[in-house]
Amino acid sequence: MSEPVLQAINLHRTYGNTEVLKGVDLTVGKGEVKALLGPSGSGKSTILRLLALLEPADDGEILLNGKQLGVSVMSDGTTRPLRESHLARQRRDIGMVFQRFNLFAHLDVAHNVTLALTEVAGMSKADARQQAEAMLERVGMAHRLKHYPSELSGGQQQRVAIARALVMNPSVMLFDEPTSALDPELVGEVLDVMEQLADEGMTMVVVTHETRFARRVANEVSLFDSGRIVESGPPETFFDDPSHARTRQFLSHLH
Ligand SMILES: Nc1ncnc2c1ncn2[C@@H]1O[C@H](COP(=O)(O)OP(=O)(O)OP(=O)(O)O)[C@@H](O)[C@H]1O
């Protein structure tokens, strides 16, 4: 594997009495794509929310480019949760794309993409506009700068959401079932953009039910079940490995 960009070590998360993540280890190397499959409720969205620093783990560590996230390490080696302002800075380096596009309804396409650049990164409006246009060009949406989200198809909204995450120049992009809320005829345009990103060397973690995409684009595929990664492998062998009994069972429900 190439040098690790994102590492999760023994992540745990409990809601009430339900232990949703029971010790998850995950490593994504630079320029690699990791696909996570798994049944509904197995904890896939939870792991992505933790990796995106949207909520804290109860136990375990997350490292980005070798640096532990979400905590400050004291001189005696103990750790403390990071202050919100520092957390916000770390979040900028992690792009997240949700199942539902989560665009700001009251802002046009260009402003959806420039907002974080001007408000969070402190960039001038002119520079932000230039970067946003370049990023929207990359996802094939530069011709819709003045449109509002409600005037776009789901696939177009999702491509804008991808541009909005990319414009912060993150080290890694996390995708949480980015096509599962789309009409079938719109899935391809979003997967094409994601494949193009992968080809360009973006490091990605993708929760998806699109097994053909995972076969074609991922470097490693993992099956997530009941809060754990239970089976993993390169796509060439993962789907057809006779020892992957749980993957076979999962796939038989999917089709
Ligand atoms: N904030 C929360 N409070 C309480 N329970 C939660 C919370 N978030 C998730 N859960 C529970 O954790 C479990 C795992 O949820 P999660 O959304 O991570 O699964 P998933 O694998 O992404 O499922 P899906 O494919 O349906 O999105 C579910 O039982 C869910 O109800």
Side-chain angles (χ1 to χ4, degrees), residues 15 20 39-46 49 177:
Y15 298 113
V20 173
S40 183
S42 57
K44 306 180 302 296
S45 295
T46 303
R49 285 201 306 274
E177 299 195 37

Side-chain angles (χ1 to χ4, degrees), residues 52-53 55-57 62 64 67-74 78-92 94:
L53 306 180
E55 56 181 280
I62 298 167
L64 189 64
K67 180 182 159 58
Q68 190 178 350
L69 299 183
V71 295
S72 46
V73 182
M74 305 285 114
T78 58
T79 57
R80 279 208 211 133
L82 213 54
R83 277 205 309 261
E84 183 55 36
S85 58
H86 287 95
L87 212 51
R89 197 167 307 148
Q90 293 188 345
R91 278 190 200 116
R92 284 193 224 168
I94 304 163

Side-chain angles (χ1 to χ4, degrees), residues 13-16 18-21 38-49 55 99 176-177 207 209 224:
R13 181 73 172 142
T14 297
Y15 298 113
T18 314
E19 194 180 15
V20 173
L21 298 183
S40 183
S42 57
K44 306 180 302 296
S45 295
T46 303
I47 181 88
L48 287 195
R49 285 201 306 274
E55 56 181 280
Q99 184 174 349
D176 190 1
E177 299 195 37
V207 170
H209 291 312
F224 212 82

Side-chain angles (χ1 to χ4, degrees), residues 103-124:
L103 294 177
F104 302 109
H106 63 293
L107 296 178
D108 66 18
V109 164
H111 284 99
N112 260 283
V113 181
T114 56
L115 187 70
L117 290 175
T118 53
E119 301 302 313
V120 182
M123 193 178 276
S124 75

Side-chain angles (χ1 to χ4, degrees), residues 64-249:
L64 189 64
N65 299 317
K67 180 182 159 58
Q68 190 178 350
L69 299 183
V71 295
S72 46
V73 182
M74 305 285 114
S75 52
D76 62 359
T78 58
T79 57
R80 279 208 211 133
L82 213 54
R83 277 205 309 261
E84 183 55 36
S85 58
H86 287 95
L87 212 51
R89 197 167 307 148
Q90 293 188 345
R91 278 190 200 116
R92 284 193 224 168
D93 205 13
I94 304 163
M96 177 93 170
V97 177
F98 299 89
Q99 184 174 349
R100 305 213 161 262
F101 330 116
N102 290 57
L103 294 177
F104 302 109
H106 63 293
L107 296 178
D108 66 18
V109 164
H111 284 99
N112 260 283
V113 181
T114 56
L115 187 70
L117 290 175
T118 53
E119 301 302 313
V120 182
M123 193 178 276
S124 75
K125 280 191 176 160
D127 286 350
R129 182 77 179 197
Q130 202 176 20
Q131 297 233 0
E133 286 185 21
M135 220 43 80
L136 286 161
E137 182 78 50
R138 213 166 147 188
V139 301
M141 288 300 296
H143 60 308
R144 292 282 186 271
L145 296 176
K146 294 205 161 93
H147 284 62
Y148 284 83
S150 62
E151 300 171 316
L152 303 176
S153 73
Q156 291 177 325
Q157 290 183 55
Q158 196 59 305
R159 286 188 281 140
V160 174
I162 293 172
R164 186 178 59 175
L166 276 179
V167 83
M168 299 302 281
N169 194 23
S171 291
V172 62
M173 287 281 288
L174 312 178
F175 294 86
D176 190 1
E177 299 195 37
T179 59
S180 61
L182 298 177
D183 292 336
E185 71 273 18
L186 303 176
V187 168
E189 66 188 64
V190 173
L191 293 182
D192 285 350
V193 165
M194 292 168 64
E195 185 165 358
Q196 177 196 319
L197 284 182
D199 288 346
E200 289 165 5
M202 177 57 71
T203 307
M204 299 168 34
V205 180
V206 184
V207 170
T208 184
H209 291 312
E210 297 289 338
T211 52
R212 272 192 307 178
F213 173 83
R215 275 181 193 267
R216 205 170 55 239
V217 179
N219 299 90
E220 195 189 38
V221 187
S222 294
L223 181 76
F224 212 82
D225 200 2
S226 306
R228 285 196 178 89
I229 288 176
V230 291
E231 291 167 357
S232 289
E236 309 87 71
T237 55
F238 177 83
F239 291 99
D240 307 310
D241 186 333
S243 71
H244 286 174
R246 293 165 88 164
T247 298
R248 289 172 168 269
Q249 193 186 11

